[in-house]
Amino acid sequence: MAAATSPGSGQSKPHAGVALDASAIDHAALHDADHTHVHVEPIPWKTGAVGAVKPIDRDTSWTPSAASPAAPAPAPKKQKDAAAMAAAEKAGAAAMESALGIGTGGGVPKKKKIDPKLPGSGIPARKSIRTLVWVRRASQVGFFVLFMYFLFQTGFHGSFAAKSDTPVRLPLPVEGFLLADPFVSAMTVLSTHTVYRGLLWSVGLLALTLVVGRVFCGWICPFGTLHHFFGWILPSRKGRGALRVEANKTHDRRQNVKYYLMYAFLLASVAGSAIGGLFDPICIAVRAIGLGVIPGAQYVAHRGLGAVQDVPVRPIQSAADHTQDALASAVWGSHQFYFHQTWLIVVLLIAILFMNRFVPRFWCRVLCPLGAFLGVFAKFALFGMEKDHAKCTDCNLCLVNCQGADSPQGGVKWRQDECHMCLNCESSCPEDVIKFRFLPNRKSALSAPALQRRTLLATTAAGAAFIPVARIADSLDVNYHSKVIRPPGAVEERAFLERCIRCAECMKVCPNNALHPALFEAGIEGLWTPILIARIGYCEHSCVLCGQVCPTGAIQKITEKEKLGLGVPPVKIGTAFYDHGRCLPWSMQTPCIVCEEFCPTSPKAIWVEEVEAPVRDSKPGPAGEQPAMLQVKLQRPHVDPSLCIGCGACEKVCPVQDQPAVYITSVGESRSKSNVILLENTNYNQKS
């Protein structure tokens, strides 16, 4: 220190940006080898006095006053008493803490228990928050298990062999998650101008959002939990360090995409189509898991357990049999289910889950219209975050653990509409920066996304224009596809597209695997709406389960008596036709009455005409002559269109395998006054 000071000079050489005033230092004390230099002021950045960033949440303007009891007395020009100097420094630090609000207001700071295992200052989060984090995890697991249980129960595991007029109902509200979906409710109200009683459950979820924010996304949503889980078990190279921090920062451009999608789908609903169900997370979860994952698991289990049953050990065979029976009664049906073009649905699900390797909770942050819808209401929530920016040391632990990319770190404003209320940020903060509480200080919160006005106008216009663009194609009005056979109880086609959210509940519950997601049979607007494919399964004569699980009224809740026509005309979904060139009794003089035997109506819609027809003997004549001609009695089938209901049982059982000789089309369906086959009492060729 002495070497650094030139004799006769009043100022020492600056070192590391810090200069010492030689006139304020006792030279005798400097040359004292036993002196500890306690009177020398510490390097300024350690006190935080140099380059301090003004916090956003509180006013830190402070001027020490002589009258203030916490203000330090002016230090004398030469101070020989080291103890007095230390006391002055301590008083100054206490005054600064009081002004910044990080002390106890001039008194003795309250000691906080420090956890040496934590980084930084080691200040642990509040016990209530740590408990709530575990409650949130338990809630996610519990609601996902409940969702899967409802999905497993969305099916009939009994038998229809009893009386046909016996009511068959599912014992549980398996469509409960869809009824509580406010985005589904909003689309249905806008497209139909009708509020369905079941959808009122969504009002409760909106009320919850107005109180505590987007807890549905972080605590309840099964699809969000699925993404959370896959992001945890399949971490990417962004799973740690600076890359993870950068990935979890708020990226307005991509996170605003979900808002543009939400407004586009809502405008499409106003124009008359609930096509937004293609992107609703609950609909996606039911559709992808119910039509793809569960049948795939069923296929693997059947093959695997079938191989185990071939093991020549009685206990192993018995265990395999019991496992098959348990799965068939609790998880899926007794026979393998197949769904039309479901590979595309599964591929899209895998692609969305894989995106979590690049952006954690990619779907929730970027594409989810339900999350955006809840975010609009979450900006009014009574529960939220407060941040003491002055305490933040930029450790970024809050960002590493953030699920919503809502900017929990100090020095920036918190995105309230993006927060999933996972509480990970406060639980992981070692500096006591973040606090979640009711009626928080809003100075460091952003309550609404900064949407680009032109982009918003363009996307909403596209959503509104999509419907007329889709309908000027020929698929709906002038060239209706004959194979678009809707479930029994379905409303007229245009009204059906206003209500159907493509959730696939009706397809999952169908006991005969008759309903399937359409690809483009009903046009692009009808993508993944339900159609009946009789070659895979027929409509059970006394089953009305599809209407019981439909959450929006696209399929009406009819009774068995209404469907069977007990006292009222029966519900028709189509009409059967014969291809005489492929029908065995008509074209090949081969006896066959399978279709007539399986016709479920009473009296039967298929009746047979008994005839004698010539048929050539199968053996050649003597000396290579032509085979002899024989006479055979045949029963040639005919359809009575006034009795046929289009259930498809005849097409399902027709023994001609590649293209059945009897097939079903949608003509004659009860829901339409124009798609008719009989001319009496109908408005033929007139759209209604």
Side-chain angles (χ1 to χ4, degrees):
M1 182 74 72
T5 308
S6 60
S9 63
Q11 181 71 28
S12 64
K13 286 184 178 181
H15 177 69
V18 179
L20 301 178
D21 187 357
S23 63
I25 303 175
D26 185 3
H27 291 282
L30 285 173
H31 294 287
D32 186 358
D34 297 328
H35 201 279
T36 58
H37 308 289
V38 294
H39 59 282
V40 180
E41 292 188 10
I43 299 174
W45 59 261
K46 290 189 177 180
T47 66
V50 176
V53 179
K54 182 178 179 181
I56 298 175
D57 285 348
R58 88 176 66 243
D59 185 8
T60 59
S61 59
W62 168 69
T63 303
S65 173
S68 174
K77 189 174 182 180
K78 290 186 178 181
Q79 180 60 265
K80 297 181 180 181
D81 190 349
M85 187 66 169
E89 292 173 355
K90 184 176 181 180
M96 182 173 291
E97 289 178 355
S98 176
L100 294 176
I102 58 177
T104 58
V108 178
K110 184 179 179 181
K111 296 287 185 179
K112 291 197 174 183
K113 186 177 180 181
I114 304 301
D115 188 349
K117 297 180 180 179
L118 294 177
S121 299
I123 302 174
R126 292 175 293 172
K127 185 177 180 180
S128 59
I129 292 297
R130 299 198 304 269
T131 302
L132 282 175
V133 169
W134 282 103
V135 172
R136 188 256 303 162
R137 292 168 180 166
S139 173
Q140 286 181 282
V141 173
F143 277 106
F144 184 79
V145 170
L146 179 63
F147 173 80
M148 292 302 299
Y149 178 70
F150 279 172
L151 202 55
F152 292 150
Q153 295 302 310
T154 307
F156 182 63
H157 301 286
S159 172
F160 288 95
K163 291 183 179 180
S164 59
D165 59 347
T166 302
V168 175
R169 301 290 183 272
L170 297 183
L172 298 172
V174 295
E175 73 278 16
F177 279 85
L178 291 163
L179 293 176
D181 188 331
F183 184 62
V184 166
S185 180
M187 287 192 299
T188 306
V189 170
L190 291 175
S191 62
T192 65
H193 312 291
T194 304
V195 179
Y196 293 93
R197 182 175 59 183
L199 295 175
L200 291 177
W201 285 102
S202 62
V203 178
L205 182 56
L206 288 181
L208 182 65
T209 304
L210 289 172
V211 176
V212 289
R214 287 176 57 182
V215 292
F216 178 83
C217 302
W219 293 58
I220 301 174
C221 181
F223 200 52
T225 299
L226 193 65
H227 285 274
H228 194 160
F229 176 73
F230 274 90
W232 174 61
I233 65 171
L234 297 174
S236 67
R237 58 188 182 88
K238 296 185 178 183
R240 62 182 64 185
L243 291 174
R244 176 59 178 261
V245 170
E246 184 62 29
N248 279 346
K249 287 183 178 179
T250 302
H251 295 82
D252 287 332
R253 181 167 295 182
R254 72 182 178 211
Q255 288 181 228
N256 287 345
V257 170
K258 60 181 176 292
Y259 287 94
Y260 299 134
L261 288 173
M262 177 195 71
Y263 287 118
F265 288 139
L266 291 180
L267 263 294
S269 299
V270 173
S273 177
I275 197 170
L278 292 174
F279 274 69
D280 183 83
I282 307 301
C283 295
I284 292 176
V286 175
R287 186 170 60 236
I289 299 176
L291 305 189
V293 176
I294 293 178
Q298 181 183 14
Y299 185 89
V300 173
H302 280 183
R303 296 318 186 263
L305 292 174
V308 172
Q309 289 171 341
D310 293 335
V311 176
V313 179
R314 180 60 65 87
I316 294 178
Q317 293 178 341
S318 178
D321 290 339
H322 284 89
T323 303
Q324 287 269 38
D325 294 340
L327 291 174
S329 61
V331 179
W332 46 63
S334 58
H335 61 282
Q336 176 68 49
F337 271 38
Y338 302 89
F339 290 98
H340 179 60
Q341 304 292 346
T342 193
W343 63 268
L344 179 59
I345 297 174
V346 177
V347 167
L348 290 176
L349 174 66
I350 295 173
I352 293 172
L353 293 176
F354 185 75
M355 285 301 296
N356 288 290
R357 288 186 58 83
F358 305 100
V359 179
R361 290 195 75 155
F362 168 79
W363 173 266
C364 309
R365 297 181 186 181
V366 181
L367 296 178
C368 182
L370 173 58
F373 191 80
L374 294 175
V376 171
F377 290 86
K379 67 181 182 180
F380 304 107
L382 303 179
F383 186 76
M385 180 195 293
E386 276 187 5
K387 291 190 280 190
D388 191 344
H389 299 271
K391 295 182 181 179
C392 184
T393 60
D394 292 330
C395 67
N396 288 325
L397 287 175
C398 56
L399 277 174
V400 170
N401 295 281
C402 180
Q403 289 295 314
D406 52 85
S407 298
Q409 72 273 25
V412 297
K413 288 184 177 290
W414 171 56
R415 283 288 300 271
Q416 186 172 0
D417 61 305
E418 295 287 349
C419 182
H420 296 175
M421 290 297 163
C422 66
L423 307 178
N424 284 344
C425 51
E426 181 176 350
S427 177
S428 59
C429 179
E431 306 294 344
D432 201 27
V433 175
I434 300 170
K435 286 285 191 302
F436 278 93
R437 54 169 55 100
F438 283 98
L439 301 177
N441 188 333
R442 302 288 185 178
K443 290 183 179 180
S444 63
L446 289 173
S447 58
L451 301 179
Q452 298 293 326
R453 183 176 300 177
R454 291 184 178 180
T455 307
L456 179 60
L457 291 175
T459 53
T460 52
F466 172 79
I467 304 306
V469 168
R471 290 182 178 177
I472 60 173
D474 62 347
S475 57
L476 184 60
D477 291 327
V478 296
N479 190 23
Y480 192 73
H481 199 294
S482 62
K483 289 299 184 180
V484 179
I485 304 172
R486 299 300 188 188
V491 296
E492 189 269 333
E493 184 67 12
R494 197 176 292 276
F496 184 83
L497 295 176
E498 291 177 353
R499 292 164 171 79
C500 181
I501 57 174
R502 290 84 172 161
C503 65
E505 284 278 357
C506 56
M507 309 174 209
K508 179 68 175 63
V509 79
C510 183
N512 290 340
N513 195 198
L515 296 178
H516 299 262
L519 195 57
F520 295 115
E521 292 87 347
I524 190 171
E525 189 183 353
L527 181 65
W528 293 338
T529 55
I531 59 173
L532 184 140
I533 301 180
R535 201 55 173 159
I536 301 176
Y538 64 94
C539 182
E540 185 66 41
H541 191 44
S542 59
C543 176
V544 293
L545 291 177
C546 53
Q548 302 304 314
V549 300
C550 180
T552 62
I555 306 173
Q556 295 175 319
K557 290 176 169 51
I558 61 175
T559 64
E560 286 81 359
K561 290 184 178 180
E562 290 173 328
K563 182 181 180 183
L564 297 175
L566 302 179
V568 293
V571 175
K572 298 166 61 96
I573 61 176
T575 306
F577 291 88
Y578 278 97
D579 183 349
H580 287 178
R582 302 183 65 82
C583 183
L584 299 180
W586 280 97
S587 65
M588 302 178 185
Q589 276 71 334
T590 302
C592 177
I593 56 170
V594 174
C595 53
E596 189 270 343
E597 290 177 337
F598 273 85
C599 182
T601 63
S602 180
K604 289 182 179 293
I606 296 179
W607 58 278
V608 295
E609 172 192 7
E610 295 187 357
V611 297
E612 288 189 1
V615 61
R616 194 171 67 168
D617 194 0
S618 59
K619 298 178 182 179
E625 297 178 359
Q626 292 290 332
M629 299 299 297
L630 306 175
Q631 290 291 116
V632 60
K633 291 184 177 181
L634 299 172
Q635 293 176 310
R636 290 176 173 171
H638 299 263
V639 176
D640 185 345
S642 64
L643 297 176
C644 181
I645 59 174
C647 66
C650 52
E651 181 177 348
K652 167 64 178 173
V653 299
C654 180
V656 182
Q657 288 298 311
D658 56 349
Q659 295 182 19
V662 57
Y663 56 91
I664 310 300
T665 74
S666 63
V667 69
E669 55 186 350
S670 299
R671 67 189 185 119
S672 175
K673 295 180 180 180
S674 58
N675 188 20
V676 297
I677 187 172
L678 299 177
L679 305 186
E680 295 83 3
N681 300 321
T682 60
N683 296 325
Y684 178 68
N685 205 25
Q686 296 181 12
K687 301 297 179 184
S688 60

